[in-house]
Amino acid sequence: MNEAIERAADILVSRRYVVCLTGAGMSVESGIRPFRGPGGIWTEHGEPPLDDYGRFVDDPAGYWRNLIEPSGLYRDLYLALQAARPHQGHLALADLERRGVVRHVITQNIDDLHRQAGNVNVAEIHGNYTLCRCVVCGTRIGRQDVDTSSLPPRCAECFGVMKSDVVVFGEPIPQDVGSICAEQTDMADCMILVGTSAYVYPAAGFPRRVKEQSGVLIEIGPHLTDISGMCDHVVRGTAAEALPLLNDAVASRLDRRE
Ligand code: APR
């Protein structure tokens, strides 16, 4: 893997605007199961129905009862989210942002771990489980600040219905974060993909967009994915192994420049 790391570092320091797209594989070493590939939740149970948002709209109080007392897979996921902490790979990615090498992280993960690790420029395209959001005006507040004495909770700004910030299947991507993702993708001349199967749109479209605009794709992950063949460079390793090595290799190149 070291040769692949050195090559990836050469690419990163030679590009103008690097954006990183992360997926569930980024958090596997923080104890959160992936959805697809080995050990994937949907690989085991089949892809979930795409009508979760329709069911929320029809019965927001019922949605909130499940949110407050999750069961089954959702309970397991919630417990893993609460127990998860950033690993060395998350911390390395925050370092790469501080070095000015990674400009923005677009994450499909809802686990808040990039922010906890210290990344500032983070677009959470599928939301953040620690937040709630008004479906009318988009106002977000901490989950712990939501008054659940009556369900569904209402927005203090506009009285709209509140839900978890986590984007459910069938729900439109909130406009604010969707715009940031599009802008960052358009500016990228290099995208690093870490821990994503590149299967779920619109996120799966971002690396394809970078490729269309003659950008370079680097994939970091232990298994072959739908997008591996489109990548210019692949580091076959895990997030917690590869990202610290990549950060060190980039640092040594930047030090040599000074
Ligand atoms: N390090 C890096 N990558 C890993 C690791 C690891 N330790 N372990 C697994 N992977 C890779 C897998 O090989 C797979 O390619 O991470 C990828 C995880 O893919 P998915 O589980 O499909 O995750 P993601 O691409 O984020 O899924 C997108 O699907 O269910 C929805 O909303 C959910 O955001 C999620 C979306």
Side-chain angles (χ1 to χ4, degrees):
M1 179 166 72
N2 283 339
E3 200 175 296
I5 291 284
E6 294 301 318
R7 174 84 185 98
D10 286 337
I11 295 171
L12 288 187
V13 297
S14 70
R15 308 309 290 184
R16 182 183 38 79
Y17 201 92
V18 178
V19 172
C20 182
L21 173 67
T22 66
M26 178 79 216
S27 300
V28 164
E29 287 147 300
S30 290
I32 301 173
R33 283 180 69 180
F35 296 100
R36 295 169 196 85
I41 301 173
W42 305 146
T43 302
E44 184 181 334
H45 297 276
E47 288 287 331
L50 299 182
D51 63 352
D52 283 353
Y53 192 59
R55 286 192 281 120
F56 159 75
V57 171
D58 293 345
D59 179 14
Y63 160 89
W64 270 95
R65 282 190 290 276
N66 288 331
L67 195 65
I68 292 165
E69 297 216 6
S71 59
L73 285 174
Y74 292 94
R75 181 175 180 281
D76 298 344
L77 178 56
Y78 189 67
L79 292 174
L81 285 167
Q82 287 190 305
R85 296 294 175 268
H87 58 59
Q88 293 307 313
H90 290 103
L91 298 176
L93 202 48
D95 246 8
L96 285 166
E97 177 183 327
R98 278 189 290 272
R99 296 180 197 286
V101 173
V102 168
R103 302 296 191 95
H104 219 100
V105 171
I106 298 173
T107 187
Q108 301 168 86
N109 301 338
I110 61 169
D111 53 37
D112 197 47
L113 292 179
H114 287 304
R115 291 189 190 285
Q116 290 177 32
N119 277 96
V120 174
N121 298 320
V122 181
E124 293 161 315
I125 188 169
H126 293 157
N128 183 316
Y129 89 104
T130 68
L131 302 174
C132 285
R133 170 172 37 90
C134 171
V135 296
V136 175
C137 70
T139 298
R140 291 182 178 84
I141 62 173
R143 167 99 184 256
Q144 73 285 348
D145 297 327
V146 174
D147 173 9
T148 55
S149 55
S150 75
L151 300 179
R154 292 282 174 170
C155 173
E157 302 298 322
C158 76
F159 205 63
V161 173
M162 298 291 286
K163 70 177 287 290
S164 166
D165 186 42
V166 173
V167 176
V168 297
F169 280 103
E171 181 176 1
I173 300 294
Q175 201 168 2
D176 53 356
V177 68
S179 303
I180 293 169
C181 291
E183 285 156 17
Q184 291 302 319
T185 299
D186 285 348
M187 287 193 284
D189 65 345
C190 175
M191 184 169 272
I192 319 172
L193 312 175
V194 186
T196 183
S197 58
Y199 174 79
V200 172
Y201 284 77
F206 300 154
R208 292 166 169 94
R209 174 92 183 94
V210 171
K211 200 67 190 164
E212 281 163 14
Q213 56 199 36
S214 308
V216 171
L217 298 181
I218 299 173
E219 180 178 62
I220 297 179
H223 317 112
L224 197 67
T225 68
D226 289 354
I227 202 154
S228 300
M230 191 185 282
C231 291
D232 301 272
H233 186 58
V234 171
V235 177
R236 275 288 164 255
T238 72
E241 291 164 353
L243 286 170
L245 294 172
L246 182 59
N247 183 36
D248 291 346
V250 164
S252 64
R253 282 158 177 76
L254 297 179
D255 291 347
R256 283 203 292 271
R257 278 186 178 173
E258 282 167 10

